[in-house]
Amino acid sequence: MSLKCGIVGLPNVGKSTLFNCVSSGKAQSANFPFCTIEPNLGSTSVPDKRLEVLADICKPKSVVPATVEIVDIAGLVKGASKGEGLGNQFLANIRETDAILHVLRCFDDDNIVHVDGSVDPVRDKGVIDTELQIKDLETVEARIKKVEKQATTGGDKDAKKLLNLLLRYRTALEQGLSCRTVVPETPEEEQMAHDLFLLTNKPVMYVCNVDDAAAAKGNAYVEAVREAVKDENAEILILAAKTESEIAEIEDYEDRQMFLEELGLEESGVVRLIQGAYHLLNLQTFFTAGADECRAWTINKGDKAPRAAGVIHTDFERGFIRAEVIKYEDFVNYKTEAAVRAAGKMGIEGKEYVVQDGDIMHFLFNV
């Protein structure tokens, strides 16, 4: 599975600059509203030093990191759902993303126009929240019309369950609340909720775009955002997007680290963003390693061995027999699979094994 994130925000808050930081795509970035017309699509590798270590040991023909896909749409403005601006028509492009990166302007600069005339990230957050909620309300109303007859006259039990969930979503949205405030009552409802692809049901990371002076510790704007979202179970990332875009252009590792140290940072904003997204979505990584390929795979925390096998190929899950598991630390210590096996450090695990972050796995299957 590949993590997919959608970037939203008002015009001129740094969305496209952030996109350029974290993506192999290069979005246009300029000082005027609606600079982004078409949605920008890009991807970036998930930085993981463990994969580099495994590659040094195995000397494989290829190294394949996990990836994050990024979608950047036009800036949303107040009234977008009624036709203002350009952004609303592109919301469909982020409907199937796993998480939302909500960029908030948290810096002062008279040379960069703010669409509302002043810097107020909490106000800006409210504008975007409202537009996403209105879009979701349209979706919910349409689905209610579709399943209501089936639920009330057709005796369809699944339709009744879906209608009950949709009505709860409608109530929340009409009260100005996001869909994520409605908690699914059963695993079946949880799956229904996922299949609706509602924008305000997605986990959110608030990316506070600051100037260099606030890159390490934030500022008053960031603190205001932190207070506003304290009950949302959301991630907050402080990032100087313009400077991060310059860091991303530096190819030499030591020069890049020196630049970060000058800002008081240990890691780049890109690394922290991806780590935050994994934490937000409760994701983790396992590896396959050998002479042909070293590869990182993304799964949910709590996934069992057959589900992890299915990420590689559906046949692996369907015909799962067992998994051979080596802990990352043991592989690094013993260097080869044969040495790990000889030391009695290889685990033979069945269908109930819960995969741990960093596990190196080999699956046996029969279909």
Side-chain angles (χ1 to χ4, degrees):
M1 60 184 287
S2 175
L3 172 62
K4 191 173 186 179
C5 297
I7 302 177
V8 302
L10 292 176
N12 279 11
V13 297
K15 290 165 48 269
S16 294
T17 305
L18 175 66
F19 175 84
N20 288 339
C21 291
V22 299
S23 168
S24 57
K26 290 296 180 184
Q28 185 183 7
S29 178
N31 181 25
F32 57 88
F34 313 121
C35 172
T36 302
I37 304 299
E38 295 298 326
N40 293 303
L41 306 174
S43 65
T44 189
S45 300
V46 175
D48 195 321
K49 292 179 182 177
R50 295 173 300 181
L51 184 61
E52 297 174 20
V53 173
L54 292 177
D56 284 341
I57 294 171
C58 297
K59 302 293 189 293
K61 295 174 183 175
S62 65
V63 179
V64 185
T67 58
V68 176
E69 295 178 27
I70 306 292
V71 184
D72 172 31
I73 63 169
L76 301 174
V77 295
K78 187 175 182 180
S81 55
K82 298 181 178 66
E84 294 292 329
L86 299 170
N88 187 261
Q89 62 188 294
F90 299 122
L91 285 175
N93 292 293
I94 60 171
R95 190 167 294 285
E96 294 189 23
T97 58
D98 300 301
I100 298 291
L101 306 178
H102 186 162
V103 183
L104 296 167
R105 177 171 169 175
C106 295
F107 65 90
D108 293 307
D109 189 335
D110 293 338
N111 295 317
I112 299 179
V113 178
H114 190 290
V115 71
D116 284 332
S118 62
V119 178
D120 185 340
V122 176
R123 176 203 60 206
D124 295 351
K125 171 190 174 304
V127 170
I128 300 299
D129 285 349
T130 298
E131 296 309 319
L132 297 182
Q133 288 163 8
I134 291 172
K135 194 67 176 177
D136 275 351
L137 187 57
E138 291 175 7
T139 302
V140 168
E141 293 280 14
R143 289 302 300 272
I144 287 175
K145 287 180 182 178
K146 192 172 181 180
V147 303
E148 202 163 22
K149 189 173 182 180
Q150 296 171 284
T152 54
T153 61
D156 187 325
K157 290 184 180 179
D158 288 338
K160 286 182 179 179
K161 292 175 183 177
L162 178 57
L163 179 61
N164 177 269
L165 179 62
L166 288 166
L167 291 174
R168 280 152 50 208
Y169 279 143
R170 182 171 70 179
T171 298
L173 291 164
E174 288 176 341
Q175 293 173 353
L177 300 173
S178 293
C179 290
R180 70 182 69 89
T181 62
V182 177
V183 181
E185 296 174 352
T186 64
E188 189 178 8
E189 267 199 356
E190 194 168 336
Q191 185 60 50
M192 288 178 175
H194 176 269
D195 293 343
L196 288 169
F197 297 110
L198 296 171
L199 297 168
T200 64
N201 209 20
K202 299 180 185 299
V204 179
M205 176 186 293
Y206 293 102
V207 181
C208 295
N209 186 13
V210 300
D211 55 23
D212 286 357
K217 297 182 179 179
N219 55 26
Y221 292 132
V222 174
E223 291 310 310
V225 172
R226 204 182 297 280
E227 178 64 23
V229 306
K230 64 182 180 182
D231 297 324
E232 289 192 25
N233 193 31
E235 292 278 327
I236 292 180
L237 175 71
I238 303 170
L239 179 147
K242 185 174 182 295
T243 302
E244 289 288 345
S245 65
E246 295 171 4
I247 294 172
E249 297 292 333
I250 302 174
E251 295 185 4
D252 184 81
Y253 175 79
E254 291 185 2
D255 288 347
R256 192 162 61 242
Q257 290 303 116
M258 193 179 303
F259 199 152
L260 289 169
E261 287 174 12
E262 289 175 2
L263 294 173
L265 301 172
E266 293 181 6
E267 294 179 304
S268 73
V270 173
V271 172
R272 290 182 288 117
L273 185 148
I274 294 172
Q275 289 173 342
Y278 266 59
H279 182 261
L280 181 69
L281 292 166
N282 209 30
L283 300 176
Q284 64 181 12
T285 302
F286 78 91
F287 302 99
T288 50
D292 286 334
E293 179 185 83
C294 285
R295 184 163 184 162
W297 303 88
T298 302
I299 58 171
N300 296 297
K301 288 183 179 178
D303 278 353
K304 294 181 180 179
R307 178 64 63 86
V311 171
I312 299 175
H313 197 288
T314 52
D315 283 351
F316 286 23
E317 181 173 10
R318 187 158 55 91
F320 180 89
I321 298 173
R322 66 178 183 272
E324 296 176 344
V325 182
I326 302 173
K327 296 303 176 186
Y328 171 78
E329 293 79 8
D330 289 332
F331 194 89
V332 172
N333 185 33
Y334 291 98
K335 306 300 182 188
T336 69
E337 184 177 310
V340 171
R341 196 187 297 270
K345 293 291 186 177
M346 178 180 286
I348 307 299
E349 305 292 352
K351 292 183 178 180
E352 295 304 308
Y353 176 71
V354 178
V355 180
Q356 302 299 303
D357 185 55
D359 278 354
I360 299 163
M361 307 189 74
H362 175 66
F363 299 102
L364 284 78
F365 70 101
N366 183 36
V367 290

